[in-house]
Each structure stands twice: as structure tokens, then as C-alpha cells.
Amino acid sequence: MEIAHDNAISSDALIYVAGHQGLVGSAMWRRLERAGYQNLVGTCSSEVDLRDRGAVDRFFKDVAPGLVILAAARVGGIVANASRPADFLEDNLRIQVNVMDAARRAGVQRLLFLGSSCIYPKFAHQPIAESSLMTGALEDTNVAYAIAKIAGVTHVQALRKQYGVKYISAMPTNLYGPGDNFSPTDSHVLPALIRRIHEAMSANAETVTIWGSGTPRREFLFVDDLADALLFLLKYYDSPEPINVGVGTDVTIRELAETIANVVGWQGEFKFDSSKPDGTPRKLLDISRLTALGWQPSTSLLAGIELTYKWFLANQSSIRGR
């Protein structure tokens, strides 16, 4: 593992955050601003459709960023991934290839590609080390998304080898936080549970039904901690190998639901629908390579859920209907 001691980011560097309005991108924007970086640029899909190669090429030619954080992606939970696999494969491949290729041709020497822990095999040894990549079958419910992200990791490695650029890949665990997607159909498990438990409390419902057995174990990383880790990696990491970003501990889905219920203040009963898929039995990342560099997360799961629920309550008018 190569430690990049000389990767200081100039305070006036023009930094392009692709996906700056999403969960990760908005957190990265906040983190960069707190660190004193003011020369930031982001585009929404109506301005630059990252699936359109010509539009991306024109953007990079006109703007000429010095550093790129590729956080743009089509994302979703089990239902979305399982029902629209072609969309997840095609859109993510186009976004990744277009942005990385345009960045390379525009002379961008430093880029961070954001992957996903779903790139690892369904039954990988726990905790999951980066070396587990492509050593077994993927989880059935999100193969298309995982394949796209694996292609992104490979693209980073290929560009480094062929052109000598200092592009890197980071693989975060399950993320949550302010700006998350709380859709009843497209969201991930933590924001979905926040919404459903909040609605149960509002309706005085006595039960909430959760897909699966409640026994799978998951790791959850507060998105502002991820943003802190990504800035750290841009400064101190330079290797073709992807690097995991997580918290190093996990909880069962039942324990997660109970924690959320305590934060929300709902005192009903959970029912688990075992006819629905559990997904991967356990997914905990080995973050020893990252911690060896000197980074540690700072937000507990309870504190992160409290902050996320506070954001949810403050933004209900915009969330309702989504």
C-alpha cells in the first residue's frame, strides 16, 4: 500500500464533485467547505447528463477541473436493484466511463471513484478484506449494480497503468445521513425504516412489518464520516487497489430497527416477513488498511441516527410523496 505523502490539495484547486446534490456528494461538498476549499463546482442532471458522453466532454473542456470526486451514481435498495437491473448497469457504466475518460483526456491527474461494498462476494470471509474482490459469486439482488462498480474499480486501475494518473477507488459500507433517500420503494434499509417507523408513530400503528428475518448483520457509516475519510484518502492514499471505508462494527437488522424506534419514540412491535429476501447474511468491511493510515470514524450509530432523523423531520415537506 502506497502512502501518498505529497498529495496536498491546493486551497485554490478547482474541485469537481460529480453528484454534489446526492447523499455522498453533498456531504463531500460540506466537508470541503469546512476544510477551506471554496473553488467547488457541481452540476445537476438537467445541466450536464453524465450519461451523455458529448455533454461530459464539453463540460470538462469548458471547466477544466484540477481534481474530481466521482460520487454520481444510480443507487437504490433491494427492490429497485432487483426490479430495474438494466437501468443500474447501464446508467452507472455510462456515468463512470464518461467522467473518468473525459477527466483523463482533460489532464486531470487526481480523481477519486466511489464504489460500494456490494462489489464483494455474497459469502466472503468476514470482515471483508479488499483482497476478496472477484473471489466468489455476488449477492443475487444487486448483481447489475455490483458489476458496474467492479468495472469502475477496474477502470481506475487501467487508467493508472496505461496513463500514469493518480486515480483511486474507495469502497464505503452502507451509508446514511442528512440528504438520504427516504422513498418507500427505492431507499436503503436505514432511511426506509426511519420513514416507516415515523409513519407508524404518527398513525398510532401498533406494528411495523420488516422484510426478512431480522437476523442479517449490517455495518452503517454516517455519510459525513465518509466525506472526512475521502478527503483524508485524497491527501494520503495512492494505490491501484480499492480501499474500504467503514466503522468496523455491525448490528442485526432487528437491532437497527429497535435503535431507530427508540430515537423516533415509537413503542410498537416489529413483525418480520421471512418470505422476503434477507440478502447477504453479513456484510462487515475490514478497515484495517484505512485505520493503519491514521483515520477513524467519529460518529456512533445512535448519534448518526439522531442527526438523520432530525434532518428527516426538518425536510418532511420535500420528502413527502417521494
Side-chain angles (χ1 to χ4, degrees), residues 1 9 12 48 86 121 151 188 206 235 271 309:
M1 181 171 62
I9 304 170
D12 61 352
V48 180
H188 290 102
E206 296 182 355
K235 293 179 178 179
K271 294 185 179 299
Y309 185 54

Side-chain angles (χ1 to χ4, degrees), residues 292-316:
L293 291 174
W295 185 86
Q296 293 279 354
S298 60
T299 308
S300 70
L301 181 60
L302 176 60
I305 290 173
E306 289 173 341
L307 290 167
T308 305
Y309 185 54
K310 181 178 180 180
W311 185 92
F312 172 85
L313 291 176
N315 291 273
Q316 282 191 83

Side-chain angles (χ1 to χ4, degrees), residues 91-131:
D91 287 354
N92 285 300
L93 285 175
R94 289 190 178 107
I95 290 168
Q96 294 162 193
V97 170
N98 289 345
V99 172
M100 282 195 260
D101 192 37
R104 190 271 304 170
R105 286 187 281 109
V108 176
Q109 292 298 304
R110 193 70 168 150
L111 177 147
L112 187 150
F113 168 68
L114 193 78
S116 167
S117 60
C118 73
I119 67 171
Y120 297 119
K122 179 175 182 177
F123 297 109
H125 177 75
Q126 303 289 325
I128 307 171
E130 292 87 348
S131 58

Side-chain angles (χ1 to χ4, degrees), residues 141-188:
T141 57
N142 61 2
V143 168
Y145 180 72
I147 290 293
K149 288 299 184 179
I150 292 170
V153 172
T154 305
H155 196 182
V156 165
Q157 294 170 337
L159 290 169
R160 287 179 65 102
K161 183 176 182 179
Q162 187 169 340
Y163 297 102
V165 290
K166 300 172 75 173
Y167 294 2
I168 58 174
S169 300
M171 302 300 116
T173 191
N174 301 292
L175 302 171
Y176 71 100
D180 213 334
N181 175 10
F182 292 86
S183 164
T185 57
D186 291 346
S187 61
H188 290 102

Side-chain angles (χ1 to χ4, degrees), residues 8-77:
I9 304 170
S10 171
S11 61
D12 61 352
L14 178 56
I15 303 173
Y16 172 44
V17 182
H20 76 294
Q21 294 180 325
L23 175 64
V24 175
S26 59
M28 195 69 222
W29 194 283
R30 292 192 297 270
R31 182 65 184 90
L32 289 167
E33 286 189 326
R34 287 199 304 273
Y37 299 101
Q38 299 298 322
N39 203 5
L40 309 178
V41 61
T43 59
C44 60
S45 57
S46 61
E47 296 170 322
V48 180
D49 185 348
L50 298 181
R51 298 169 298 179
D52 182 334
R53 183 176 181 86
V56 176
D57 285 345
R58 289 189 294 273
F59 169 77
F60 271 84
K61 182 178 180 181
D62 293 343
V63 175
L67 184 150
V68 174
I69 298 163
L70 180 44
R74 175 184 281 272
V75 298

